[in-house]
Amino acid sequence: MTQHIQWHKTLSTEGLAALQQPGGVIVCPTKVGYIIMATDKAGLERKFDAKERKRNKPVVVLCGSMEQLRALVQLNPEIEAFYQKHWDEDILLGCILPWRADAKAALTKDGREELMMDKRGTSCFVIKFGLPGEQLAEYLWRSEGKMIYASSANPSGKGNRGKVQGIGERIESKVDLVIEADDYIASIQPDKTVETRYEQGVMVSMVDKDGKLVPEQKGERSVHPYPVVIRKGLAIDRIMMHLADSFNTWDYRHGEYY
């Protein structure tokens, strides 16, 4: 049977060891539920199989530090400041962004791009997703230059409700390790019930239809193209306020992409 362990607020050495193995796959708690983590193409293949996820739905890239984010993606000063604000306030945020040319060129040529980027060559880069995973992402990037790729740990189209049993038997049986922390997940939204809590993070597109980074607005109005909220989720109210403070022009189109 798949090993289950409890998260004890510090870096999970068991989780780290599993992800350091070729093709390693684990389930890990976040602020909004459980996710499946992998670090290479073999692990991504196992993840997609376990979840029975369509291959045209790329995973997200988890960033354990602002330094990692800056090393991987194209940013302009306004978008970097927007990310930094959410980092400083410990707010879960994911943005669709293009890769830096040097970071993309440095990727291991094992075909992983198919499962971690869309057809435009962009990915969703996520910060402040929850301490259990942040600890793993920060360590692997700092010590080994490895990235963690992830998606929700539940059968496609169904939520896990922040409960480890919600990941489903198929996923539970096909991963190497499950890190449990139901209490941690519940603590993030203490005023919500299992039925009313957010099960996902907010996603903002910072690219145009061709995957090119949106321009700086520099205080001007009606600058096109502009940031677009494409998925609501945890802290949507705070993130929309930061968007209003950071950009004169942005849009809300939940479900338009991803």
Side-chain angles (χ1 to χ4, degrees), residues 110-233:
D110 58 2
R112 68 181 65 185
E113 293 95 330
E114 172 198 358
L115 302 177
M116 54 181 276
M117 300 180 192
D118 62 15
K119 293 181 179 179
R120 305 172 303 179
T122 67
S123 298
C124 180
F125 296 86
V126 182
I127 63 167
K128 290 298 180 178
F129 40 92
L131 281 174
E134 289 174 39
Q135 292 165 347
L136 291 166
E138 192 277 333
Y139 182 91
L140 284 170
W141 176 258
R142 173 172 48 83
S143 300
E144 304 178 26
K146 286 185 178 180
M147 287 172 271
I148 293 181
Y149 315 112
S151 61
S152 57
N154 45 263
S156 287
K158 299 180 180 179
N160 57 55
R161 299 294 185 183
K163 301 289 186 179
V164 73
Q165 64 263 32
I167 68 177
E169 293 182 3
R170 179 181 177 85
I171 289 174
E172 194 276 340
S173 68
K174 287 183 173 288
V175 300
D176 302 311
L177 178 73
V178 175
I179 302 174
E180 297 188 20
D182 287 5
D183 290 346
Y184 170 77
I185 299 170
S187 73
I188 301 300
Q189 301 177 75
D191 58 332
K192 303 290 186 181
T193 66
V194 171
E195 290 73 29
T196 63
R197 59 181 294 279
Y198 281 114
E199 296 186 76
Q200 59 190 15
V202 173
M203 195 177 290
V204 182
S205 175
M206 293 292 187
V207 297
D208 64 15
K209 61 182 179 63
D210 298 315
K212 184 179 179 181
L213 194 69
V214 298
E216 286 188 83
Q217 296 186 4
K218 299 181 179 179
E220 298 296 323
R221 301 178 182 178
S222 300
V223 175
H224 292 74
Y226 42 72
V228 179
V229 178
I230 57 175
R231 192 175 74 182
K232 65 181 179 181

Side-chain angles (χ1 to χ4, degrees), residues 3-256:
Q3 182 184 8
H4 285 238
I5 64 168
Q6 289 288 328
W7 179 61
H8 296 295
K9 300 184 179 181
T10 58
L11 175 68
S12 169
T13 56
E14 298 96 334
L16 181 62
L19 288 173
Q20 287 173 323
Q21 296 299 311
V25 181
I26 70 170
V27 167
C28 182
T30 72
K31 291 178 177 177
V32 288
Y34 288 90
I35 58 173
I36 311 177
M37 290 181 165
T39 64
D40 58 18
K41 175 67 181 318
L44 284 169
E45 291 287 358
R46 290 181 61 196
K47 188 206 75 66
F48 272 77
D49 173 65
K51 190 175 168 69
E52 297 183 297
R53 182 180 175 92
K54 294 181 179 179
R55 296 175 72 88
N56 65 343
K57 294 184 177 181
V59 298
V60 302
V61 181
L62 302 180
C63 294
S65 66
M66 284 295 295
E67 290 72 24
Q68 180 182 2
L69 180 75
R70 295 185 188 102
L72 295 179
V73 305
Q74 297 177 39
L75 296 166
N76 63 40
E78 292 175 352
I79 296 174
E80 182 175 353
F82 182 70
Y83 259 109
Q84 187 68 56
K85 184 176 293 187
H86 292 81
W87 183 274
D88 294 342
E89 297 183 19
D90 193 22
I91 299 173
L92 169 62
L93 175 70
C95 294
I96 308 297
L97 288 163
W99 287 75
R100 286 174 54 114
D102 56 348
K104 190 173 181 180
L107 287 172
T108 303
K109 301 301 185 288
D110 58 2
R112 68 181 65 185
E113 293 95 330
E114 172 198 358
L115 302 177
M116 54 181 276
M117 300 180 192
D118 62 15
K119 293 181 179 179
R120 305 172 303 179
T122 67
S123 298
C124 180
F125 296 86
V126 182
I127 63 167
K128 290 298 180 178
F129 40 92
L131 281 174
E134 289 174 39
Q135 292 165 347
L136 291 166
E138 192 277 333
Y139 182 91
L140 284 170
W141 176 258
R142 173 172 48 83
S143 300
E144 304 178 26
K146 286 185 178 180
M147 287 172 271
I148 293 181
Y149 315 112
S151 61
S152 57
N154 45 263
S156 287
K158 299 180 180 179
N160 57 55
R161 299 294 185 183
K163 301 289 186 179
V164 73
Q165 64 263 32
I167 68 177
E169 293 182 3
R170 179 181 177 85
I171 289 174
E172 194 276 340
S173 68
K174 287 183 173 288
V175 300
D176 302 311
L177 178 73
V178 175
I179 302 174
E180 297 188 20
D182 287 5
D183 290 346
Y184 170 77
I185 299 170
S187 73
I188 301 300
Q189 301 177 75
D191 58 332
K192 303 290 186 181
T193 66
V194 171
E195 290 73 29
T196 63
R197 59 181 294 279
Y198 281 114
E199 296 186 76
Q200 59 190 15
V202 173
M203 195 177 290
V204 182
S205 175
M206 293 292 187
V207 297
D208 64 15
K209 61 182 179 63
D210 298 315
K212 184 179 179 181
L213 194 69
V214 298
E216 286 188 83
Q217 296 186 4
K218 299 181 179 179
E220 298 296 323
R221 301 178 182 178
S222 300
V223 175
H224 292 74
Y226 42 72
V228 179
V229 178
I230 57 175
R231 192 175 74 182
K232 65 181 179 181
L234 180 67
I236 181 63
D237 51 346
R238 297 174 68 188
I239 292 171
M240 290 177 73
M241 182 59 70
H242 287 333
L243 278 164
D245 289 340
S246 303
F247 306 96
N248 280 336
T249 305
W250 54 276
D251 205 351
Y252 178 87
R253 302 180 194 171
H254 174 73
E256 177 162 294

